[in-house]
Amino acid sequence: MAKPKPPTEGTPLCNVEHIEFESKANDIKAGLIDTFLNLQRIDTNLYFARHLLKGRHSYNAVYGGQVVGQSLAAAAATVEDCFIPHSLHSYFIKTGSVDKPILYMIDRIRDGRSFCTRVVKAVQDGEAIFSCQISFHLNEPDAIKHNSKMPEVAEPEKLLPAREAALEVLRNNDVDEVAAGVIQHFLKEIPDAFERVFDVRPVNPEKYLLKEDTEPMSMIWVKAKENLGDDSRLHQCVAAYLTDLTMLTTAVRPHIRKGFIPSMSFSLDHCVWIHENKFRMDDWMLYETVSSKAGGSRAFIEGRLWSRDGRLIISTAQEALVRAPKV
Ligand SMILES: CCCCCCCCCCCCCCCC(=O)SCCNC(=O)CCNC(=O)[C@H](O)C(C)(C)COP(=O)(O)OP(=O)(O)OC[C@H]1O[C@@H](n2cnc3c(N)ncnc32)[C@H](O)[C@@H]1OP(=O)(O)O
């Protein structure tokens, strides 16, 4: 397919649907950094993303974390470098398609002395698919300081990558039909792109895949397989991108283990608080997620992303839609 032509400055939004889009969904190894760094600026406050990834293999829907990461990249491009993102509050309004580009429209709500606020609207086919508010803060000295204790878990070097870990559970255990189904489903749904770019190592996969009475929680070690360079904004965007990866499955997996099959499951909203700026997503980070409540076809999940040296780097919260088949 021919390379898409960049839109000329001032192209009306309605023309976006006519741009021939070459999906990069299978080319993430070369494209991950591109995805965040090379959002195309098409006008003041307008950015364009062509490289979109699926969240799950079986859906054509754009991975929610990518829209979060790209919104952060686009908003960050409109503030001075000394302002660091510290919180993002977002809604997934409509499912995005990986086959069409996304336009990010930034509203510079306020430039304060210590804080800057941006609103980002992500648009596809002229319709909003996502909106978020992002706040940036100048570095300030510690006034008060504390940090929760990081969970004590096996070191990542002693664990297997997600796919191998799942296959190992299948091989070495007396796996019943439901558990085997869960594992096969999990293996099928891991998008190729994640595996090519990230090393994800689940802590305690036997427990979460085999036991029927597991809590809705999960822990993974995660890092990019390749050096991501020294641009701290890229590390922030990649972290934001990854935070959506295990939230939904944390809430749903124990129920799937008991035989529940969701007819519909999507992230509805997503909040990210970045507490510290000094971390690298090409070093091991521990992502801990727990769902404290589900009901009324919605599940609530919270997450904590830790650096290996025990600093709480990011906290997250999300509500997800989890529907049962209509009867
Ligand atoms: C390397 C190793 C990795 C290891 C690790 C493993 C991880 C391996 C997995 C990765 C996992 C990633 C996880 C990513 C998670 C995201 O990326 S999710 C993507 C982001 N979120 C989204 O895209 C959601 C966007 N929001 C929306 O689409 C809309 O707001 C909503 C939620 C659909 C609501 O819209 P609405 O207009 O109010 O729609 P609503 O009336 O609810 O009806 C919608 C449809 O649901 C249907 N519906 C209603 N009830 C039901 C029902 N019970 N059942 C079925 N359908 C129903 C309706 O009939 C309707 O259908 P249509 O008429 O449209 O055909």
Side-chain angles (χ1 to χ4, degrees):
M1 197 185 283
K3 271 228 171 286
K5 287 197 185 75
T8 53
E9 196 163 347
T11 301
L13 298 189
C14 58
N15 277 359
V16 165
E17 65 186 308
H18 301 305
I19 291 169
E20 220 182 318
F21 177 56
E22 186 179 30
S23 172
K24 291 278 182 185
N26 292 319
D27 192 21
I28 184 61
K29 188 162 184 183
L32 178 81
I33 292 177
D34 241 22
T35 301
F36 295 111
L37 285 184
N38 297 342
L39 286 185
Q40 191 181 355
R41 180 182 173 280
I42 57 170
D43 204 340
T44 309
N45 304 330
L46 283 184
Y47 292 83
F48 199 60
R50 296 169 188 283
H51 301 181
L52 301 170
L53 303 166
K54 290 180 183 185
R56 282 161 287 188
H57 196 70
S58 54
Y59 289 91
N60 219 28
V62 175
Y63 167 54
Q66 180 171 26
V67 190
V68 172
Q70 287 182 332
S71 295
L72 180 56
T78 69
V79 302
E80 290 194 35
D81 285 351
C82 52
F83 283 94
I84 296 158
H86 70 94
S87 80
L88 177 154
H89 299 262
S90 69
Y91 284 97
F92 296 103
I93 299 165
K94 191 172 178 287
T95 308
S97 158
V98 290
D99 298 323
K100 293 169 183 173
I102 297 180
L103 186 69
Y104 291 93
M105 306 163 76
I106 318 294
D107 192 347
R108 301 179 190 227
I109 292 288
R110 181 167 186 259
D111 285 330
R113 284 187 296 271
S114 315
F115 288 87
C116 288
T117 313
R118 298 290 180 261
V119 166
V120 185
K121 186 157 90 169
V123 175
Q124 204 173 46
D125 271 345
E127 284 187 80
I129 60 163
F130 174 85
S131 81
C132 72
Q133 196 154 13
I134 304 177
S135 179
F136 296 81
H137 185 198
L138 278 184
N139 256 330
E140 290 196 31
D142 301 328
I144 55 167
K145 198 169 158 82
H146 57 252
N147 187 89
S148 287
K149 197 166 176 303
M150 182 181 180
E152 284 176 24
V153 297
E155 299 295 320
E157 290 78 7
K158 299 205 171 103
L159 297 168
L160 290 171
R163 183 172 296 277
E164 282 172 49
L167 289 171
E168 183 91 346
V169 172
L170 267 184
R171 254 195 314 270
N172 295 344
N173 295 275
D174 188 14
V175 179
D176 68 35
E177 212 176 301
V178 178
V182 175
I183 296 169
Q184 299 294 1
H185 176 79
F186 167 79
L187 290 172
K188 200 165 59 105
E189 286 293 42
I190 298 175
D192 303 345
F194 287 121
E195 285 188 291
R196 267 181 275 146
V197 178
F198 297 106
D199 195 342
V200 176
R201 303 195 175 190
V203 176
N204 221 341
E206 292 86 3
K207 179 174 162 194
Y208 295 119
L209 292 171
L210 293 176
K211 279 184 71 179
E212 280 184 44
D213 58 348
T214 52
E215 294 294 304
M217 68 165 297
S218 96
M219 280 195 256
I220 55 165
W221 285 104
V222 60
K223 76 179 191 63
K225 287 180 176 172
E226 288 178 25
N227 186 304
L228 293 179
D230 295 329
D231 181 344
S232 59
R233 288 212 168 153
L234 176 63
H235 292 271
Q236 290 151 9
C237 292
V238 171
Y241 169 94
L242 276 169
T243 54
D244 190 27
L245 181 60
T246 47
M247 297 192 92
L248 185 52
T249 46
T250 295
V252 179
R253 193 201 47 243
H255 301 279
I256 294 183
R257 178 62 191 89
K258 288 179 219 151
F260 168 74
I261 299 173
S263 55
M264 201 176 179
S265 60
F266 284 114
S267 322
L268 287 173
D269 61 10
H270 193 73
C271 300
V272 180
W273 293 267
I274 304 179
H275 310 302
E276 281 199 34
N277 189 29
K278 288 196 174 56
F279 66 92
R280 295 190 64 96
M281 291 311 296
D282 47 14
D283 268 350
W284 287 112
M285 305 282 286
L286 181 73
Y287 193 38
E288 179 195 9
T289 41
V290 60
S291 175
S292 49
K293 182 76 185 174
S297 294
R298 298 192 312 275
F300 176 68
I301 311 106
E302 290 163 282
R304 305 208 275 185
L305 184 71
W306 304 85
S307 60
R308 200 170 180 175
D309 59 5
R311 288 174 297 131
L312 179 59
I313 301 295
I314 285 180
S315 300
T316 57
Q318 173 175 111
E319 249 197 328
L321 176 69
V322 183
R323 281 177 171 157
K326 286 181 191 167
V327 280

Coordinates of all heavy atoms in Angstrom, one line a residue, residues 55-56 62-64 92-95 162 186 189-190 194-195 200 244-246 248 263-264 266-268 321 323-326, ligand 1:
G55 N -5.5 -3.8 21.2 CA -5.3 -4.2 22.6 C -5.4 -5.7 22.8 O -4.7 -6.3 23.5
R56 N -6.3 -6.3 22.0 CA -6.5 -7.7 22.1 C -6.5 -8.2 20.7 O -7.0 -7.6 19.8 CB -7.8 -8.1 22.8 CG -7.7 -8.0 24.3 CD -9.0 -8.0 24.9 NE -9.7 -6.7 24.7 CZ -10.8 -6.3 25.3 NH1 -11.4 -7.1 26.1 NH2 -11.3 -5.1 25.0
V62 N -8.6 -0.1 19.0 CA -7.3 0.4 19.4 C -7.1 0.1 20.9 O -8.0 0.3 21.7 CB -7.3 2.0 19.2 CG1 -6.0 2.6 19.7 CG2 -7.5 2.3 17.7
Y63 N -5.9 -0.2 21.3 CA -5.5 -0.4 22.7 C -5.7 0.9 23.4 O -5.1 1.9 23.0 CB -4.1 -1.0 22.7 CG -3.5 -1.0 24.1 CD1 -4.1 -1.6 25.1 CD2 -2.2 -0.4 24.3 CE1 -3.5 -1.6 26.4 CE2 -1.7 -0.4 25.6 CZ -2.3 -1.0 26.6 OH -1.7 -1.0 27.8
G64 N -6.5 0.8 24.5 CA -6.7 2.1 25.3 C -5.5 2.7 25.7 O -5.4 4.0 25.7
F92 N -12.8 6.8 28.0 CA -12.8 6.1 26.7 C -14.3 6.2 26.2 O -15.2 5.6 26.8 CB -12.4 4.6 26.8 CG -11.0 4.4 27.2 CD1 -10.7 4.1 28.5 CD2 -10.0 4.7 26.3 CE1 -9.4 3.9 28.9 CE2 -8.7 4.5 26.7 CZ -8.3 4.1 28.0
I93 N -14.5 7.0 25.2 CA -15.9 7.4 24.8 C -16.5 6.4 23.8 O -17.6 6.0 23.8 CB -15.9 8.8 24.3 CG1 -15.5 9.8 25.4 CG2 -17.3 9.2 23.8 CD1 -15.1 11.2 24.9
K94 N -15.6 6.1 22.8 CA -16.0 5.2 21.7 C -14.9 4.4 21.3 O -13.7 4.8 21.4 CB -16.5 6.2 20.6 CG -17.2 5.5 19.5 CD -17.7 6.6 18.5 CE -18.4 5.9 17.3 NZ -17.5 5.3 16.4
T95 N -15.1 3.2 20.9 CA -14.0 2.3 20.4 C -13.3 2.9 19.2 O -14.0 3.3 18.3 CB -14.6 0.9 20.1 OG1 -15.4 0.4 21.2 CG2 -13.4 -0.1 19.8
A162 N 5.6 -14.1 29.9 CA 4.2 -14.5 30.0 C 3.8 -15.7 29.2 O 3.2 -16.6 29.8 CB 3.3 -13.3 29.6
F186 N -5.9 -16.7 26.9 CA -4.9 -15.7 27.3 C -3.7 -15.7 26.2 O -3.3 -14.7 25.8 CB -4.4 -16.1 28.7 CG -3.1 -15.4 29.1 CD1 -3.2 -14.1 29.6 CD2 -1.9 -16.1 29.1 CE1 -2.0 -13.5 30.1 CE2 -0.7 -15.5 29.5 CZ -0.8 -14.2 30.0
E189 N -4.9 -14.1 23.1 CA -5.2 -12.7 23.1 C -4.0 -11.7 23.3 O -4.1 -10.6 23.0 CB -6.2 -12.4 24.2 CG -7.6 -12.8 23.9 CD -8.3 -12.0 22.8 OE1 -7.6 -11.7 21.8 OE2 -9.5 -11.7 22.9
I190 N -2.9 -12.3 23.8 CA -1.7 -11.4 24.0 C -1.4 -10.8 22.6 O -1.0 -11.6 21.7 CB -0.5 -12.2 24.5 CG1 -0.7 -12.8 25.9 CG2 0.7 -11.2 24.6 CD1 0.4 -13.6 26.4
F194 N 2.9 -6.5 21.9 CA 3.4 -6.4 23.3 C 4.6 -7.3 23.5 O 5.6 -7.0 24.1 CB 2.3 -6.8 24.3 CG 1.3 -5.8 24.4 CD1 0.0 -6.1 24.1 CD2 1.5 -4.5 24.8 CE1 -1.1 -5.2 24.2 CE2 0.5 -3.6 24.9 CZ -0.8 -3.9 24.6
E195 N 4.5 -8.5 22.9 CA 5.6 -9.5 23.1 C 6.9 -9.1 22.4 O 7.9 -9.4 22.8 CB 5.1 -10.9 22.6 CG 4.2 -11.5 23.6 CD 3.9 -12.9 23.2 OE1 3.2 -13.1 22.2 OE2 4.3 -13.8 24.0
V200 N 7.3 -9.2 29.6 CA 6.3 -9.2 30.7 C 6.4 -10.5 31.4 O 6.3 -11.5 30.8 CB 4.9 -9.0 30.2 CG1 3.9 -9.1 31.3 CG2 4.8 -7.7 29.4
D244 N -2.6 0.3 31.2 CA -3.9 -0.2 30.8 C -3.9 -1.7 30.5 O -4.9 -2.4 30.3 CB -4.5 0.5 29.6 CG -5.9 0.2 29.3 OD1 -6.6 -0.1 30.2 OD2 -6.3 0.3 28.1
L245 N -2.7 -2.3 30.5 CA -2.5 -3.6 30.0 C -3.2 -4.7 30.9 O -3.8 -5.6 30.3 CB -1.0 -4.0 29.9 CG -0.6 -5.3 29.4 CD1 -1.1 -5.5 27.9 CD2 0.9 -5.5 29.3
T246 N -3.0 -4.6 32.2 CA -3.5 -5.7 33.0 C -4.7 -5.4 33.9 O -5.2 -6.2 34.7 CB -2.4 -6.3 33.9 OG1 -1.8 -5.2 34.5 CG2 -1.4 -7.1 33.1
L248 N -8.1 -4.6 33.2 CA -9.3 -5.3 32.9 C -9.2 -6.8 33.2 O -10.1 -7.4 33.9 CB -9.6 -5.1 31.4 CG -10.8 -5.6 30.8 CD1 -12.1 -5.2 31.5 CD2 -10.9 -5.1 29.3
S263 N -19.4 -11.0 27.4 CA -19.8 -10.8 26.1 C -19.2 -9.4 25.6 O -19.1 -9.2 24.4 CB -21.3 -10.8 25.9 OG -21.8 -9.8 26.8
M264 N -18.8 -8.6 26.6 CA -18.3 -7.3 26.2 C -17.4 -6.9 27.4 O -17.8 -6.9 28.5 CB -19.5 -6.4 26.1 CG -19.2 -5.1 25.3 SD -20.7 -4.2 25.1 CE -20.1 -2.9 24.2
F266 N -14.5 -3.7 28.2 CA -13.7 -2.5 27.7 C -13.3 -1.6 28.9 O -14.1 -1.5 29.9 CB -14.5 -1.6 26.8 CG -14.7 -2.2 25.4 CD1 -15.9 -2.5 25.0 CD2 -13.6 -2.3 24.6 CE1 -16.1 -3.0 23.7 CE2 -13.7 -2.8 23.3 CZ -15.0 -3.1 22.8
S267 N -12.2 -1.0 28.8 CA -11.9 0.1 29.8 C -12.8 1.3 29.5 O -13.0 1.6 28.4 CB -10.4 0.6 29.6 OG -9.5 -0.4 29.3
L268 N -13.4 1.8 30.6 CA -14.3 3.0 30.5 C -13.6 4.3 30.8 O -13.8 5.3 30.1 CB -15.5 2.8 31.4 CG -16.5 1.7 31.1 CD1 -17.5 1.6 32.2 CD2 -17.2 2.1 29.8
L321 N -16.0 -1.8 31.8 CA -17.3 -2.4 31.5 C -17.1 -3.9 31.3 O -16.3 -4.3 30.5 CB -17.9 -1.7 30.2 CG -19.2 -2.3 29.7 CD1 -20.3 -1.9 30.6 CD2 -19.5 -1.8 28.3
R323 N -19.6 -7.0 30.7 CA -21.0 -7.5 30.5 C -21.1 -9.0 30.3 O -20.2 -9.6 29.6 CB -21.7 -6.8 29.3 CG -22.1 -5.3 29.6 CD -22.6 -4.6 28.4 NE -23.2 -3.4 28.7 CZ -23.4 -2.4 27.8 NH1 -23.0 -2.5 26.6 NH2 -24.0 -1.2 28.2
A324 N -22.2 -9.5 30.8 CA -22.5 -11.0 30.5 C -23.4 -11.0 29.3 O -24.1 -10.1 29.0 CB -23.2 -11.5 31.7
P325 N -23.4 -12.2 28.6 CA -24.2 -12.3 27.4 C -25.7 -12.0 27.8 O -26.1 -12.4 28.9 CB -24.1 -13.7 27.0 CG -22.7 -14.2 27.6 CD -22.5 -13.4 28.8
K326 N -26.4 -11.3 26.9 CA -27.8 -11.1 27.2 C -28.6 -12.4 27.2 O -28.3 -13.3 26.4 CB -28.4 -10.2 26.1 CG -27.9 -8.7 26.2 CD -28.6 -7.9 25.0 CE -28.0 -6.6 24.9 NZ -28.3 -5.9 23.6
Ligands
LIG1 C1 3.3 -9.8 26.6 C2 2.4 -10.4 27.6 C3 1.3 -9.6 28.1 C4 0.6 -10.1 29.3 C5 -0.6 -9.4 29.7 C6 -1.8 -10.1 29.0 C7 -2.8 -9.2 28.5 C8 -3.5 -9.8 27.3 C9 -4.8 -9.0 27.1 C10 -4.5 -7.6 26.8 C11 -5.7 -6.9 27.3 C12 -5.6 -5.5 27.0 C13 -6.8 -4.7 27.6 C14 -7.0 -3.6 26.8 C15 -8.2 -2.8 27.3 C16 -8.6 -1.9 26.2 O1 -7.8 -1.4 25.4 S1 -10.3 -1.5 26.0 C17 -10.2 -0.2 24.8 C18 -10.5 1.1 25.4 N1 -11.9 1.3 25.7 C19 -12.8 1.5 24.7 O2 -12.5 1.4 23.6 C20 -14.3 1.7 25.2 C21 -14.8 2.9 24.4 N2 -16.2 3.2 24.8 C22 -17.2 2.7 24.2 O3 -17.1 1.9 23.2 C23 -18.6 3.2 24.6 O4 -18.5 4.2 25.5 C24 -19.5 2.1 25.3 C25 -18.7 1.6 26.5 C26 -19.7 0.9 24.3 C27 -20.8 2.6 25.6 O5 -21.4 3.2 24.5 P1 -23.0 3.3 24.3 O6 -23.3 4.1 23.1 O7 -23.6 3.8 25.6 O8 -23.3 1.8 24.0 P2 -24.3 0.7 24.7 O9 -25.7 1.2 24.7 O10 -23.7 0.3 26.0 O11 -24.2 -0.4 23.6 C28 -23.0 -0.8 23.0 C29 -23.2 -2.1 22.3 O12 -23.2 -3.1 23.3 C30 -24.3 -4.0 23.1 N3 -24.6 -4.7 24.3 C31 -25.4 -4.2 25.3 N4 -25.5 -5.1 26.3 C32 -24.7 -6.1 25.9 C33 -24.4 -7.4 26.6 N5 -24.9 -7.7 27.7 N6 -23.5 -8.2 25.9 C34 -23.0 -7.9 24.7 N7 -23.3 -6.7 24.1 C35 -24.2 -5.9 24.7 C36 -25.4 -3.2 22.5 O13 -26.3 -4.0 21.8 C37 -24.6 -2.3 21.6 O14 -24.3 -3.0 20.4 P3 -24.4 -2.2 18.9 O15 -25.8 -1.7 18.8 O16 -23.4 -1.1 19.0 O17 -24.0 -3.3 17.9

